[in-house]
Amino acid sequence: MSTQQDSTTTITKTNNKNPLLSILTEPIEWLTMLTNNLNPTFIAGIFLVYGIGQGFTGSLFKLVTDYYWKDVQKLQPSTVQLYVGIYFIPWILKPIWGILTDAFPILGYRRRPYFVVAGVVGTVSATIVAVGGEVSVVAALMCFVGVSASLAIADVTIDACIARNSIEVPGLAPDLQSLCGFCSGSGALLGYLASGFFVHHLGPQGSLGLMAVFPALTIVLGFVIYEKRTTGLHNEKKKGVVENVGTTIRSMYKTIKYPQAWKPSLYMFLSLALNVTTHEGHFYWYTDSKVGPAFSQEFVGIIYAIGAVASIIGVLIYHKYLKNYTFRNLVFYAQLLYAISGLLDLIFILRWNLKIGIPDYFFVVIEDAAIRITGKIRWMPMMVLSTKLCPLGIEGTFFALLMCIDSIGGLISKWGGGLLLRALHVTRTDFTNLWLAVLLRDILRFITLILVFLVPNVGPYEELISSEVCEMSKSDDIDEETLELVPLNAKTEV
C-alpha cells in the first residue's frame, strides 16, 4: 500500500510542477503506478477484454445490428427492442460462467480453456451471420446471442481478476474501474467511428464479419496466457469439484444476506430496470427520411463516437475529482443530473415535431454527450462498490452474480422500453408518440432518486463487510491465482 501511495504522491508532485506537460505524462505515470503495484499482464488483459472486446466490438455490434435489423430484416423498432433484450441472456448467465471457471478446471486450468471456448463461439457466430447469405431472423438472433456470449464469458475471467486485486489492494479499486472505463470508452470511440464507414461501404451484413476479430484474439489469448495449474491428485478432482460448487453456493448465499450486500444490489437492479430505454425508437426516427432528421450512416456513427468520448470524460471526471466521495452522495447527485440531461431528448423531439426551429447537429451532439457523461459518472461508483462486496475465494462467481443482477435489470429495461414503444404505437414510420415514451422514461429516472437510501453512505476506502466474510475461501484451495501472459522466452507447461 505504501508503494501505491508513494507512486501517487510522485504523480501529484510532477503534475504540480508541469501542469501543461501533465496532460501527456500523467496517463503514462498512472499506468506505470498500476503496473508497479499490480501484475503488468493483468493490466494488459484489461486492455484486451475491455478495450478491444467490450469497447470496439461492443460498439460495432450495437450500431451494425441496428442497421441490420432495420435495413436487412426490416423489423419494427419495438420488436428490435425486445430482440436486443435477448442479447442480455448470456450476461444474465454470468454466475454459471463464473462457477464453471472457478470450480471446473480443464486439464488443471481454470481460465485458459474458457478463453478458447469464448473465442470459438464468437468467431463461428459472427462468421455465420456475415457470410451466410439470407439468414432467417431466428438464426441471426442466435448468432448475435453467440457473439454476446463470447463477450460475457471473456468478461467473467477478467472481472474475477479485477475483484481479487480490488480486495487485496483496496486503494486501487477506483483506479481499476477508471482503467476499465478508459479502455472501453476508447475502444467504443474507435468502433463507432469505424462502424458508420463500414456500414456505408460494406453494408450491415458485410460489416458483421468484423465482429469476429475479438473472438479470434480471445482464442489466441487462451493459448498464450500463463496460469498455474491447480494442485491435487487426479482421482480426487471429481469429488473436489462437487465440494467447490457447494462451498461456492453457500458462501454466495451467506454473503448476499448481509444488508451491506443486498441493499446496493437491489438498488443496482431497480435503477436499471426503471431506466427503460427507447433507443430503437430514437434510432428509427433519427434515420427516417420522411418524418425524422434523416441522419446519414456516417453521422449516426459520429454521434455514437462523440458519446464514447463523453463517456471517457465522465470517467476522467470521476477519477480526478469524485472517486473519494461517499457512494450515496455521489450516486444521488449523478442520478439527478442523469435524469435532468434526459430531458434534452424530449426537447429535441418536441422542437422537431412543433417545427420550432430545425434542431442543428450541434444540439444533437450536446444532448447525447450530456447523457453519456452523467450516465458514466452515475455508474462508476456502483462498479467500485461491486468489487468491494466480493469475498476472496469466490470473487469471480460473486462478482458475476452482481453483474447478473445488473443484466437482469438491463433486460427488463430493454423489454420494458420495447413494450412501451409498442403500447404507444411507435413503428417504422409513425413516431407521433415517441415524445410521450421519452417523457415517461424521464419520469422513471427521477423516481429512481427515492431509492438512493439503499446505497451505503461510506467511502471507497472504508470496509463494507466484515473481514471474516471477505476472507472466505473454498475448502479445496489452490495455489495463488495468477494470470499472466507467457514471456517470449518462457515455455507454456500444459
Side-chain angles (χ1 to χ4, degrees):
M1 184 65 66
S2 60
T3 304
Q4 171 207 337
Q5 294 173 344
D6 292 343
S7 301
T8 306
T9 303
T10 301
I11 294 175
T12 304
K13 290 181 178 179
T14 302
N15 292 341
N16 290 336
K17 293 180 179 179
N18 304 281
L20 297 179
L21 187 60
S22 66
I23 297 177
L24 297 176
T25 60
E26 184 177 352
I28 298 175
E29 294 172 343
W30 180 56
L31 287 175
T32 302
M33 182 271 292
L34 289 176
T35 53
N36 287 340
N37 287 275
L38 303 170
N39 194 310
T41 55
F42 162 63
I43 303 299
I46 292 179
F47 275 97
L48 175 63
V49 176
Y50 275 88
I52 300 178
Q54 295 187 29
F56 183 85
T57 304
S59 60
L60 185 71
F61 183 73
K62 178 181 178 181
L63 185 61
V64 173
T65 53
D66 278 345
Y67 276 106
Y68 177 80
W69 292 126
K70 178 178 181 288
D71 297 338
V72 178
Q73 298 290 355
K74 301 186 182 305
L75 300 180
Q76 296 292 346
S78 58
T79 302
V80 175
Q81 192 82 51
L82 296 175
Y83 284 174
V84 170
I86 297 177
Y87 302 165
F88 267 74
I89 291 179
W91 296 84
I92 292 174
L93 299 178
K94 284 182 70 173
I96 296 179
W97 315 138
I99 291 176
L100 289 175
T101 58
D102 282 346
F104 290 85
I106 299 176
L107 299 177
Y109 293 98
R110 298 178 182 272
R111 310 300 182 193
R112 296 175 62 182
Y114 294 99
F115 273 118
V116 176
V117 170
V120 170
V121 170
T123 303
V124 172
S125 299
T127 302
I128 289 176
V129 74
V131 302
E134 296 183 1
V135 181
S136 67
V137 172
V138 174
L141 182 60
M142 292 300 100
C143 288
F144 292 155
V145 171
V147 173
S148 181
S150 174
L151 292 169
I153 295 172
D155 177 75
V156 166
T157 301
I158 199 65
D159 280 349
C161 300
I162 293 171
R164 173 176 285 270
N165 282 279
S166 296
I167 296 169
E168 294 179 345
V169 192
L172 291 181
D175 295 271
L176 288 177
Q177 290 304 321
S178 297
L179 179 62
C180 294
F182 283 128
C183 290
S184 61
S186 301
L189 171 61
L190 296 176
Y192 284 134
L193 286 175
S195 57
F197 173 84
F198 286 122
V199 169
H200 181 75
H201 291 86
L202 301 180
Q205 191 162 4
S207 301
L208 293 172
L210 296 173
M211 293 191 303
V213 174
F214 170 70
L217 292 175
T218 306
I219 296 176
V220 176
L221 180 64
F223 283 103
V224 303
I225 214 166
Y226 176 74
E227 177 189 3
K228 287 185 178 180
R229 300 184 68 176
T230 57
T231 59
L233 298 176
H234 178 73
N235 58 5
E236 295 178 352
K237 285 185 178 180
K238 291 184 178 180
K239 180 179 178 180
V241 164
V242 175
E243 292 178 353
N244 283 347
V245 173
T247 302
T248 297
I249 294 175
R250 287 192 299 270
S251 298
M252 289 171 59
Y253 176 71
K254 179 179 178 181
T255 304
I256 203 66
K257 289 195 304 180
Y258 283 81
Q260 301 95 317
W262 71 259
K263 284 185 177 181
S265 300
L266 179 61
Y267 174 80
M268 287 188 285
F269 167 75
L270 292 176
S271 65
L272 280 171
L274 293 175
N275 183 34
V276 293
T277 175
T278 55
H279 167 75
E280 297 305 327
H282 280 86
F283 175 77
Y284 276 64
W285 179 68
Y286 278 154
T287 56
D288 191 274
S289 58
K290 296 181 179 179
V291 297
F295 292 152
S296 66
Q297 295 163 339
E298 289 85 352
F299 185 69
V300 171
I302 290 174
I303 293 175
Y304 288 169
I306 294 175
V309 174
S311 295
I312 297 175
I313 294 174
V315 174
L316 182 62
I317 293 174
Y318 168 80
H319 177 72
K320 290 288 291 183
Y321 306 109
L322 304 176
K323 68 179 182 179
N324 294 324
Y325 284 80
T326 60
F327 292 117
R328 183 180 297 173
N329 289 337
L330 183 53
V331 169
F332 176 82
Y333 288 108
Q335 178 66 35
L336 178 61
L337 291 175
Y338 181 66
I340 293 173
S341 63
L343 296 174
L344 295 175
D345 265 343
L346 182 62
I347 295 172
F348 177 44
I349 296 173
L350 290 177
R351 283 183 61 190
W352 182 271
N353 291 343
L354 299 176
K355 308 300 181 183
I356 306 176
I358 302 301
D360 55 21
Y361 290 162
F362 180 75
F363 184 87
V364 180
V365 170
I366 291 298
E367 60 97 3
D368 186 70
I371 293 173
R372 294 296 190 93
I373 291 175
T374 55
K376 182 61 69 173
I377 295 175
R378 158 182 171 262
W379 201 242
M380 286 296 295
M382 299 309 300
M383 294 302 297
V384 176
L385 179 60
S386 297
T387 61
K388 296 176 71 63
L389 293 175
C390 301
L392 281 175
I394 61 167
E395 65 278 355
T397 306
F398 196 80
F399 191 84
L401 172 65
L402 297 178
M403 295 302 99
C404 166
I405 295 173
D406 293 352
S407 297
I408 294 175
L411 175 63
I412 295 176
S413 167
K414 293 184 180 299
W415 282 357
L419 294 175
L420 180 62
L421 292 174
R422 180 162 295 185
L424 295 177
H425 305 290
V426 177
T427 67
R428 291 173 56 89
T429 56
D430 185 1
F431 306 98
T432 305
N433 293 326
L434 180 59
W435 71 272
L436 182 56
V438 175
L439 175 61
L440 294 174
R441 180 205 68 182
D442 291 339
I443 291 174
L444 290 174
R445 289 182 178 179
F446 280 103
I447 291 176
T448 304
L449 290 168
I450 302 174
L451 304 172
V452 175
F453 74 92
L454 294 169
V455 179
N457 193 27
V458 298
Y461 307 117
E462 299 178 48
E463 187 179 81
L464 293 174
I465 300 180
S466 63
S467 57
E468 290 80 5
V469 178
C470 291
E471 292 173 359
M472 287 190 304
S473 60
K474 300 175 185 174
S475 58
D476 183 21
D477 200 8
I478 62 171
D479 289 341
E480 180 181 355
E481 180 183 356
T482 57
L483 201 60
E484 54 187 7
L485 301 179
V486 178
L488 295 178
N489 59 351
K491 296 181 179 179
T492 304
E493 180 181 344
V494 180

